[in-house]
Amino acid sequence: MSDPTDTREVILEARELTREFDGVKALDRFSFKLHRGEVLGLLGANGAGKTTAMNCLLGLTLPTSGELNAFGMPLQANRIKILQRANFSSAYTALPGNLLVWQNLLVFAHIYGVPNPKKKIAELMELLEISHLNKSVTGQLSAGESTRVNLVKAFLNDPELLMLDEPTASLDPDIADKVRKVVRKVQRERNVAILYTSHNMRDIEEVCDRVIFLHKGKIVCEGTPSDIVAQSSSDNLEDVFIKIARDGELLDEPKKASAV
Amino acid sequence: MNFRIISALVMRYLFLYARSPMRLVELAFWPVVDLVVWGNVTVFIQKNTNPEFGSYVLFFLGGMILWDIMFRAQQGVAISFLEDVWTRNLLNIFVAPVRSSEYISATFIVGMLRILITAVVLSFISWFGYAFNVFQLSWWLIPFFLNLMLFGWSLGMISTALILRWGLAAESLAWAIPFFFQPVVAVFYRVEDMPAWSRPIAWCFPPTYIFEGMRDVMKSGTMNWDYLGYAAGLNVLYLALAGWLFVWVLNLTRKRGLLTKFATQ
């Protein structure tokens, strides 16, 4: 699973993470490491355990058992310190719709203690090509605009760890492509560790260095997208996704592609 | 606690109120309606009864104004939390480096600002419309306001905890909880006029001491210091209990995984 000779800094680590709901295991001894500067995709069909994993990693749900560390610190005991160095964006959350975009972003800039917040917001809005939305009402933005505003919020504190939950959901191909490029650019420039979930396999192939496929809360396979495709009898990552969603395994025996 | 974070959260509520004139109107609308109704009833009774009893009915107006202070303080906490639920912003807050104590403190401050607006509006209308000068309570107004505000905050935290636990199904509690207490905290009548069985219950809550104190001050210009002491002591106890309940429920929702379902519903 992890290479003992790997000397890269571990930003986020889960060890034997299990989360049960009414006796059903949504996550079953889930372990992984996310390194600095790496983009790790968390994949799986609906109900595979991705959201539960993400919620545990964000400290929103407590695991039934197992350990979670970020920046070398136990997550629960150091939640505030860790969240100060991390950020999150999801297609399923929103910033208050009745505030203007700049008002929402300014509030979060102050929460994260961003120096010179107005300049930072302007830079990020320019990066995401939404400077013209500064004075727009947040609730009146299109899905694409809203996603990019959420990403500005997620980049505000120059996070070392970024969790992106389906950032391209409901976006048209053009905007989705722009979002992927910006995420990749920010990740490369700032050496950010990113945990990325998506149902869009194009996203995963373009953005992720490594992926983990989950099925019924368990890791089915893990590796680079190309290694996983090569290891399976499928033609592409989407076929792998469908095979795992239906059969629960990549091959006859769950195997992992070569770890990075 | 980080004051930068508290001020950022307060700033968010100020933006919200500035962007939503109806919310500002709402701060004054119902208190004014209550005041006009009670004011007219007071005038009617004063005109149709003997002067001695007529002077007593001013207690209604005093009680109504002070009750509204407590109600607004509770609303400041509970409605601020609901604003985050309604706008699906709760998850953004819970995954930001915001401590529960900072979040609650911000709602306290918002509650205080709501009280100030309501109090100013009611004081003006009661003085110009009904010749009831709330400042006849003199410096006693300050401990009265403070104690009622503290109890309102406790009720606000309890309301928030219940909404956290049961989701929007419990939303109506944000408005209802203060009214569970209204019959027993002697807002409009003396404790000695209440049924004997309910009097010990009444003395368990800080507002009872404040409303009794208000009537003492209006009647004789003096205040029983013991009342203030009991009210303050009980408020410390209720604040501690409500704070504990809020944190306990928050941890419970995390343990049961309810927080995310609730935050994105």
Side-chain angles (χ1 to χ4, degrees):
Chain A
M1 191 164 293
S2 60
D3 180 358
T5 62
D6 192 343
T7 55
R8 290 175 300 166
E9 183 188 355
V10 175
I11 296 295
L12 184 63
E13 182 177 17
R15 282 188 212 149
E16 301 278 304
L17 206 63
T18 298
R19 172 70 221 200
E20 288 182 21
F21 291 104
D22 300 324
V24 177
K25 286 180 179 169
L27 268 185
D28 191 359
R29 291 182 298 148
F30 174 56
S31 298
F32 78 95
K33 285 179 182 174
L34 173 64
H35 302 95
R36 186 175 289 281
E38 183 183 32
V39 185
L40 175 63
L42 203 53
L43 305 181
N46 294 328
K50 302 184 304 291
T51 305
T52 304
M54 192 72 105
N55 290 339
C56 286
L57 300 172
L58 287 164
L60 294 168
T61 298
L62 297 181
T64 309
S65 63
E67 266 182 61
L68 259 175
N69 292 306
F71 307 109
M73 299 178 275
L75 191 139
Q76 275 311 316
N78 300 280
R79 199 168 165 267
I80 298 297
K81 273 188 208 165
I82 289 166
L83 289 176
Q84 184 63 48
R85 297 167 68 180
N87 214 316
F88 165 77
S89 174
S90 168
Y92 305 108
T93 61
L95 295 168
N98 33 16
L99 296 195
L100 301 180
V101 168
W102 72 264
Q103 291 175 325
N104 270 319
L105 294 173
L106 190 64
V107 167
F108 278 96
H110 282 298
I111 286 176
Y112 285 101
V114 175
N116 203 348
K118 286 183 182 170
K119 186 168 171 249
K120 182 75 179 177
I121 290 167
E123 283 171 4
L124 288 171
M125 289 187 83
E126 197 181 326
L127 177 70
L128 282 143
E129 299 178 24
I130 52 168
S131 299
H132 60 288
L133 299 176
N134 201 28
K135 290 180 181 169
S136 301
V137 179
T138 309
Q140 291 173 4
L141 300 178
S142 68
E145 291 167 340
S146 185
T147 296
R148 284 182 284 170
V149 169
N150 280 336
L151 281 173
V152 171
K153 187 231 91 176
F155 293 147
L156 270 175
N157 58 329
D158 289 329
E160 296 165 73
L161 169 62
L162 189 54
M163 299 190 218
L164 301 178
D165 186 17
E166 301 194 33
T168 58
S170 74
L171 299 186
D172 69 46
D174 173 46
I175 301 294
D177 182 59
K178 282 180 180 168
V179 165
R180 283 193 293 268
K181 285 192 166 72
V182 168
V183 168
R184 214 45 176 150
K185 183 174 188 285
V186 171
Q187 180 268 329
R188 283 189 186 125
E189 285 176 359
R190 297 173 196 174
N191 213 19
V192 188
I194 299 179
L195 190 69
Y196 196 101
T197 74
S198 179
H199 285 147
N200 180 339
M201 294 306 110
R202 173 106 187 255
D203 266 18
I204 299 299
E205 283 167 337
E206 268 190 38
V207 176
C208 297
D209 302 312
R210 191 162 58 97
V211 296
I212 289 174
F213 269 99
L214 283 170
H215 181 74
K216 293 185 178 173
K218 286 186 175 176
I219 294 179
V220 177
C221 64
E222 182 180 351
T224 65
S226 55
D227 283 347
I228 287 179
V229 173
Q231 200 185 21
S232 72
S233 51
S234 308
D235 294 331
N236 53 51
L237 205 59
E238 186 144 334
D239 287 346
V240 174
F241 185 101
I242 292 168
K243 179 166 175 47
I244 291 173
R246 291 178 184 169
D247 303 342
E249 54 192 31
L250 180 65
L251 298 167
D252 293 338
E253 284 290 316
K255 290 178 182 174
K256 292 170 194 99
S258 57
V260 177
Chain B
M1 279 212 287
N2 187 325
F3 291 100
R4 185 196 72 235
I5 290 175
I6 296 172
S7 65
L9 293 171
V10 171
M11 180 169 73
R12 187 169 57 108
Y13 291 117
L14 295 181
F15 282 149
L16 193 66
Y17 280 93
R19 294 270 318 146
S20 315
M22 284 313 291
R23 283 183 168 81
L24 284 174
V25 171
E26 181 261 341
L27 283 183
F29 180 77
W30 289 113
V32 169
V33 168
D34 279 346
L35 184 69
V36 170
V37 170
W38 282 102
N40 290 346
V41 169
T42 302
V43 171
F44 170 75
I45 294 172
Q46 279 178 324
K47 280 183 181 170
N48 292 284
T49 189
N50 66 61
E52 191 191 356
F53 181 72
S55 67
Y56 282 108
V57 293
L58 279 176
F59 294 165
F60 289 148
L61 279 182
M64 187 254 129
I65 291 170
L66 290 187
W67 168 259
D68 221 72
I69 298 304
M70 192 189 94
F71 181 61
R72 296 290 141 191
Q74 181 269 347
Q75 293 271 287
V77 178
I79 301 298
S80 299
F81 173 76
L82 280 172
E83 296 273 11
D84 281 323
V85 176
W86 293 329
T87 56
R88 292 199 300 143
N89 187 45
L90 204 58
L91 210 58
N92 283 320
I93 296 293
F94 279 121
V95 299
V98 177
R99 291 177 179 84
S100 309
S101 55
E102 290 157 351
Y103 184 81
I104 286 291
S105 298
T107 65
F108 284 175
I109 293 169
V110 175
M112 201 153 40
L113 295 174
R114 288 171 66 109
I115 288 171
L116 279 175
I117 293 170
T118 305
V120 168
V121 171
L122 290 186
S123 301
F124 269 108
I125 295 176
S126 61
W127 172 244
F128 289 110
Y130 302 99
F132 176 81
N133 181 7
V134 74
F135 296 102
Q136 70 183 278
L137 298 172
S138 178
W139 294 106
W140 295 111
L141 257 181
I142 295 170
F144 287 175
F145 271 41
L146 281 176
N147 273 292
L148 291 170
M149 188 173 71
L150 292 178
F151 192 67
W153 287 353
S154 298
L155 295 186
M157 279 196 284
I158 292 168
S159 315
T160 305
L162 295 176
I163 297 167
L164 254 177
R165 174 62 188 85
W166 281 285
L168 287 177
E171 186 182 331
S172 57
L173 290 174
W175 282 270
I177 279 191
F179 292 100
F180 292 150
F181 292 88
Q182 197 181 41
V184 293
V185 295
V187 183
F188 300 114
Y189 35 77
R190 295 173 303 182
V191 174
E192 67 183 66
D193 298 323
M194 293 168 64
W197 61 266
S198 65
R199 289 176 210 156
I201 299 171
W203 292 119
C204 292
F205 302 111
T208 306
Y209 298 92
I210 300 305
F211 290 114
E212 287 288 275
M214 173 203 75
R215 283 184 284 270
D216 282 350
V217 172
M218 287 176 70
K219 195 173 158 188
S220 62
T222 59
M223 168 79 189
N224 185 340
W225 280 94
D226 288 349
Y227 282 178
L228 275 184
Y230 286 129
L234 283 170
N235 265 323
V236 170
L237 180 69
Y238 280 107
L239 270 175
L241 283 173
W244 172 83
L245 179 73
F246 179 80
V247 172
W248 182 72
V249 170
L250 188 61
N251 289 335
L252 188 73
T253 54
R254 280 199 176 116
K255 271 184 197 155
R256 294 191 179 179
L258 299 172
L259 193 57
T260 46
K261 284 180 189 168
F262 173 62
T264 53
Q265 66 186 282

